[in-house]
Amino acid sequence: MYSPNEHPPTDPLAENNLQPFFVLHKASKSSESTAVTPGRATKRRLDSSSKVSLSNENLKMEAFRCVWSKIESKIKDVLRSINASVFDEIGQWVRESFNEICSCRGPVDPSNSSLPYPFVHNGGLVKKLFTGLVFTKNIETVDDILTFAELGLHLKSHGCYVANISSLDFSTKNGIGGCLRAFLRQLLMVDIEAADVSLLASWYSDHGKYEKPVVVIIEDMERCSGAILSDFINMLSEWSVKIPIILIAGVATSADAPRNVLTSRALQYLSTSIFSLKCPAERLDAIIETVLVKNCAGFSVGHKVATFLRNYFLRQDGTVSSFVRALKMAIVQQLSIEPLSFVLKLSVDERDSKRSWHEDLANLPEELIKHSFELPSYKKYSVNRNNYVELNATSLGHGLSEMQRLQELWRSCLMCLYEAGRYHKVALLDLYLEALDPELYNSRLSNHGCDSAKDRSLLSNNDKLFKLQKAEVTNQVIRKMRDLPAAKLSQLLKSWERFTEGSMEVHEKIMELQSQMVSEDVKGHKAELTDISKRHISRRGLNVEKDACTSNDKAATLAGQMIRDSMQPIECIPFHELVCFKDVDNLQSALAGDPRRRIQIDLLNFYKILKCGCCSNSGGTLSPSMHETSIMYTLAQEHGDLINLHDWFQSFKASISSSGNKGLKKLASPKKRKENTSSQNNSDALLQARFCRAVMELQITGLLRMPSKRRPDCVQRVAFGV
């Protein structure tokens, strides 16, 4: 397995592994001449704003590495743990199948190790291939690749030889030799031109390997060529006892998949067992609980972004990898938009080392501290406060600590609701979306303006308060709590007690309700001992039922109070802009992707990105110090959609040599004319090479179409709406 700081190149979760890069270009001659003057000492002046900006960008890049490595490692741990029980079950089945194969195998004869159909001890299992069908419940295989890779590592750690073969290897193009070579390559660790199972038999018989099974894993049986896979199974069945091969295949649809893919001859050799993985929705709930609800890295998303992530997950056929990619892009967008978003790293450092971040905030520049108190969330919050708060790093630290406290309270209440919803299979994602909605929270505050008696009547009368707020899932959870049996209600309150250990204001109310239920149980027990007659027993039954209804109502009322008083969404907390991403339009645009349009914009507005003195002062006008591709594309705007190559080169030449034409021209002596002609030729050749390289770069990026046979002297500019 990889550590959190390692990024394997084949990991789909790291497909957008962002790395810093720099574009270097030469400075203008005027700046060079003024920077160094012979016989005169000069002082280097640094722009304080540029220095702060560079430091800020470095902090953001470091924050991204820290936050994403934390989230990525948590996601891997969650996916590994959610499949742990199924993996253990598969491992136990592999061991039992191997033992059954060994029980029928006769004495090992090394002279016949390379021949199929060995002599068996008691017969009956000749050509029988133990096969495990793993139902993935996925439409796309991108998640299955990771899952079966983890399964292979799990089986290897439990003493199995494992070969993971892709469904792409079972294609008519590669034939039976392609899948067989992929199989042998992973076990023998060498490339084999003439693949033969007898090589595997010889390898297995050497060095005493008879104590371990050979497991072949295919991540998606239904994507394989049926004819090739059938031939492969027929071949393995001939060696099923001499080489204890066990087959594991992923299936996405139903148990009839093998009948739809394989031939009847191959089917008769399979001895199948069925296993089921967690569905994509359950995996997504586990990721949301760990990453966003429990907030492992301090990063949060707004209600609209969370809704978009849910819809994006569904549009991508429920692939967890697509959700992880969108979440990663949201972190990148947050760090690129908000100047103070690098406090996310301070949050991670505080959680890991239990160190306060007040000292780190005190070292921030004054303009960044001032920026934090100009955020809309703080301005809205400060309007409702009468007392004056000094705007400094200490106040910012207290504000961030208060935000963490409120989020911890929100988190514990959400987990209490989710625990209550588990009895009726309520998804965490649905509760999470409602808990994030600031409109629902504001409506709760407005409804709280009514007197407490009216509030209680609304809470106890079919949860009309929540119906008015359109909190359908929350309303369902609270309504179902009234129907819970006493035993399940007691178990639920114990779970609530565990979730709210860090929130005393809620924890005390739960403990009080538990003590009331205990006292009611004691009264019921005493009534059972004293009541003798049938009439008294029936009355006692009615009293117990009444007490149970009272306890359920109290628990539902407590849940309503928790939602109203303690579940403040992140978007309603001051300073939330620093750690919460809300710009759903930017995220949607980034995920949709329009790289050529982005390149076009960056080429025209490069000076806004580089922020160098020689180009920024030009205001976008052409300068010899500009990047050559930017010069070329800016000139292309002047030439129109159809660009004459000769005219384009002359314009490029004039722009590059414009600085050399400034000042007085010196007359060359007759003796040096020949040397000047040679240097001029070298200069023209260099310009042509630079011109061709820039044209090639524009062609590679898709911004140019190369000359056609009809107009070989022209290229066509491809424009994308800006």
Side-chain angles (χ1 to χ4, degrees):
M1 300 306 298
Y2 296 95
S3 64
N5 296 325
E6 293 178 347
H7 300 279
T10 59
D11 191 353
L13 293 179
E15 64 176 350
N16 296 320
N17 188 16
L18 303 179
Q19 298 293 336
F21 66 93
F22 303 93
V23 178
L24 304 179
H25 67 145
K26 62 181 183 299
S28 60
K29 293 186 178 180
S30 58
S31 63
E32 293 175 357
S33 60
T34 56
V36 180
T37 305
R40 181 179 176 182
T42 60
K43 292 184 178 180
R44 184 184 180 188
R45 295 182 180 180
L46 294 177
D47 187 2
S48 60
S49 61
S50 300
K51 187 176 181 180
V52 171
S53 176
L54 180 60
S55 176
N56 193 13
E57 293 301 322
N58 292 335
L59 288 173
K60 286 184 177 182
M61 187 62 68
E62 187 178 356
F64 172 76
R65 295 193 189 98
C66 177
V67 171
W68 180 247
S69 64
K70 183 84 172 180
I71 291 177
E72 187 178 28
S73 63
K74 287 292 183 181
I75 291 175
K76 290 181 178 180
D77 292 341
V78 166
L79 295 179
R80 189 180 301 114
S81 62
I82 201 173
N83 292 323
S85 59
V86 182
F87 287 179
D88 291 339
E89 185 181 356
I90 294 175
Q92 180 64 26
W93 167 78
V94 168
R95 180 55 57 182
E96 292 174 356
S97 301
F98 176 65
N99 292 337
E100 191 169 351
I101 294 174
C102 293
S103 65
C104 72
R105 185 173 56 197
V108 178
D109 185 1
S111 62
N112 297 328
S113 61
S114 60
L115 299 177
Y117 302 116
F119 176 78
V120 293
H121 183 66
N122 55 5
L125 283 179
V126 179
K127 305 187 70 175
K128 208 68 175 176
L129 189 63
F130 287 94
T131 305
L133 299 181
V134 181
F135 285 93
T136 61
K137 304 175 184 178
N138 278 340
I139 297 177
E140 293 293 333
T141 59
V142 61
D143 292 340
D144 300 338
I145 296 173
L146 298 177
T147 302
F148 285 105
E150 291 287 344
L151 175 59
L153 293 174
H154 177 82
L155 295 177
K156 283 181 180 178
S157 65
H158 286 73
C160 299
Y161 298 113
V162 179
N164 289 82
I165 307 179
S166 171
S167 57
L168 299 177
D169 293 321
F170 293 92
S171 63
T172 54
K173 179 181 178 181
N174 295 326
I176 186 64
C179 59
L180 190 56
R181 278 191 294 271
F183 174 39
L184 298 178
R185 188 186 304 118
Q186 296 187 50
L187 295 177
L188 305 184
M189 297 299 180
V190 293
D191 289 330
I192 300 173
E193 295 183 1
D196 193 348
V197 187
S198 60
L199 298 175
L200 178 64
S202 300
W203 169 83
Y204 189 78
S205 63
D206 294 340
H207 312 296
K209 296 183 176 64
Y210 285 101
E211 69 279 2
K212 294 182 180 182
V214 176
V215 181
V216 180
I217 299 177
I218 304 171
E219 82 275 359
D220 193 347
M221 171 185 285
E222 294 164 290
R223 290 179 180 267
C224 300
S225 169
I228 303 301
L229 182 58
S230 298
D231 291 343
F232 184 73
I233 290 175
N234 294 335
M235 183 183 300
L236 295 184
S237 66
E238 297 178 0
W239 300 82
S240 58
V241 176
K242 182 163 288 187
I243 308 174
I245 298 177
I246 299 172
L247 180 64
I248 297 177
V251 176
T253 55
S254 66
D256 295 332
R259 295 189 182 93
N260 299 330
V261 175
L262 302 175
T263 62
S264 58
R265 182 188 174 193
L267 285 172
Q268 68 180 355
Y269 298 140
L270 301 184
S271 176
T272 59
S273 298
I274 297 177
F275 308 93
S276 294
L277 297 174
K278 298 290 185 180
C279 66
E282 292 175 302
R283 296 183 217 173
L284 181 63
D285 269 0
I287 292 175
I288 288 176
E289 179 181 349
T290 302
V291 177
L292 296 177
V293 176
K294 294 183 179 179
N295 211 351
C296 66
F299 175 74
S300 301
V301 296
H303 176 256
K304 292 183 179 179
V305 173
T307 304
F308 171 80
L309 290 175
R310 190 267 308 270
N311 296 335
Y312 185 77
F313 169 77
L314 296 176
R315 286 197 303 268
Q316 298 294 322
D317 297 323
T319 54
V320 173
S321 299
S322 64
F323 177 85
V324 173
R325 176 175 174 266
L327 181 64
K328 185 175 184 179
M329 186 60 67
I331 298 174
V332 173
Q333 292 286 321
Q334 172 66 15
L335 289 168
S336 62
I337 293 173
E338 174 53 46
L340 260 174
S341 56
F342 57 81
V343 297
L344 285 169
K345 182 180 184 299
L346 304 183
S347 176
V348 173
D349 293 341
E350 185 183 36
R351 292 166 185 266
D352 292 344
S353 59
K354 306 299 182 183
R355 178 175 56 88
S356 176
W357 54 12
H358 291 273
E359 182 179 350
D360 296 314
L361 293 175
N363 297 327
L364 293 179
E366 184 179 351
E367 51 264 37
L368 290 179
I369 299 295
K370 183 180 178 181
H371 165 77
S372 64
F373 292 100
E374 293 176 352
L375 295 172
S377 61
Y378 180 78
K379 287 186 175 181
K380 183 178 179 180
Y381 167 76
S382 60
V383 168
N384 301 326
R385 293 174 59 95
N386 297 324
N387 56 329
Y388 173 74
V389 177
E390 189 175 355
L391 308 182
N392 53 23
T394 303
S395 300
L396 176 60
H398 289 315
L400 294 177
S401 299
E402 178 65 10
M403 179 174 64
Q404 280 190 341
R405 187 190 71 82
L406 293 175
Q407 275 289 282
E408 187 64 33
L409 191 60
W410 173 88
R411 185 177 307 116
S412 59
C413 294
L414 177 59
M415 291 306 299
C416 289
L417 284 177
Y418 179 51
E419 191 67 21
R422 282 179 184 271
Y423 294 105
H424 308 286
K425 298 182 179 180
V426 175
L428 175 61
L429 179 57
D430 297 331
L431 282 171
Y432 173 70
L433 291 177
E434 290 186 358
L436 278 181
D437 195 346
E439 294 182 2
L440 290 180
Y441 175 74
N442 292 330
S443 65
R444 286 195 289 267
L445 292 182
S446 62
N447 287 325
H448 186 50
C450 61
D451 58 286
S452 58
K454 183 180 179 182
D455 232 4
R456 284 195 297 269
S457 66
L458 285 171
L459 279 169
S460 60
N461 188 13
N462 293 328
D463 310 299
K464 292 179 182 177
L465 177 62
F466 296 101
K467 287 184 178 179
L468 291 174
Q469 298 164 358
K470 298 180 181 179
E472 298 177 359
V473 182
T474 305
N475 177 46
Q476 176 189 355
V477 171
I478 294 181
R479 186 175 64 250
K480 293 292 186 181
M481 284 178 59
R482 305 184 191 279
D483 303 329
L484 285 179
K488 288 186 177 181
L489 181 62
S490 177
Q491 184 180 0
L492 176 63
L493 291 179
K494 289 180 181 179
S495 301
W496 285 12
E497 180 185 353
R498 185 177 69 256
F499 288 134
T500 58
E501 286 180 350
S503 307
M504 295 306 300
E505 55 266 39
V506 180
H507 189 72
E508 291 176 356
K509 295 179 181 178
I510 295 174
M511 296 291 291
E512 182 181 355
L513 181 58
Q514 280 184 307
S515 63
Q516 292 177 4
M517 289 187 62
V518 171
S519 63
E520 290 172 359
D521 291 340
V522 172
K523 290 180 182 179
H525 184 63
K526 289 182 178 179
E528 184 179 357
L529 295 176
T530 56
D531 291 339
I532 301 174
S533 65
K534 266 189 178 181
R535 184 179 59 182
H536 289 174
I537 292 174
S538 62
R539 286 180 181 176
R540 179 187 55 79
L542 293 174
N543 291 334
V544 171
E545 185 178 353
K546 182 179 179 182
D547 293 339
C549 292
T550 303
S551 300
N552 286 15
D553 288 339
K554 288 180 180 179
T557 303
L558 176 59
Q561 292 175 353
M562 289 164 52
I563 295 170
R564 184 190 61 209
D565 301 335
S566 304
M567 292 193 69
Q568 186 173 0
I570 182 68
E571 292 182 79
C572 299
I573 302 176
F575 303 114
H576 73 267
E577 292 92 345
L578 303 182
V579 298
C580 176
F581 178 69
K582 302 185 296 181
D583 196 341
V584 67
D585 293 332
N586 272 353
L587 178 60
Q588 186 173 4
S589 176
L591 289 173
D594 195 356
R596 288 190 288 188
R597 180 177 179 272
R598 183 73 258 172
I599 293 172
Q600 177 183 351
I601 295 174
D602 291 344
L603 284 174
L604 296 176
N605 301 326
F606 70 95
Y607 55 91
K608 296 180 181 179
I609 302 173
L610 295 179
K611 297 180 181 179
C612 57
C614 54
C615 297
S616 298
N617 296 332
S618 63
T621 59
L622 291 178
S623 170
S625 63
M626 289 170 53
H627 194 269
E628 294 167 1
T629 311
S630 297
I631 295 177
M632 291 282 291
Y633 198 69
T634 304
L635 291 172
Q637 311 305 307
E638 302 174 359
H639 284 265
D641 292 338
L642 200 62
I643 309 171
N644 184 279
L645 286 172
H646 181 267
D647 295 341
W648 201 14
F649 173 73
Q650 293 301 326
S651 301
F652 174 74
K653 182 178 179 181
S655 300
I656 291 295
S657 58
S658 60
S659 59
N661 297 331
K662 295 180 180 180
L664 297 176
K665 293 183 179 180
K666 296 182 180 180
L667 295 175
S669 61
K671 295 181 180 180
K672 296 183 178 180
R673 287 178 182 174
K674 189 173 183 179
E675 296 179 2
N676 290 340
T677 303
S678 177
S679 62
Q680 182 66 29
N681 292 335
N682 292 335
S683 177
D684 289 343
L686 180 60
L687 283 175
Q688 291 177 15
R690 293 164 64 183
F691 175 81
C692 291
R693 183 179 62 182
V695 170
M696 187 64 65
E697 290 178 358
L698 292 175
Q699 180 195 7
I700 292 173
T701 56
L703 299 178
L704 282 182
R705 289 195 181 99
M706 295 312 290
S708 62
K709 294 181 179 180
R710 181 175 298 180
R711 296 294 302 272
D713 57 336
C714 294
V715 294
Q716 184 177 358
R717 181 171 65 92
V718 181
F720 300 89
V722 179

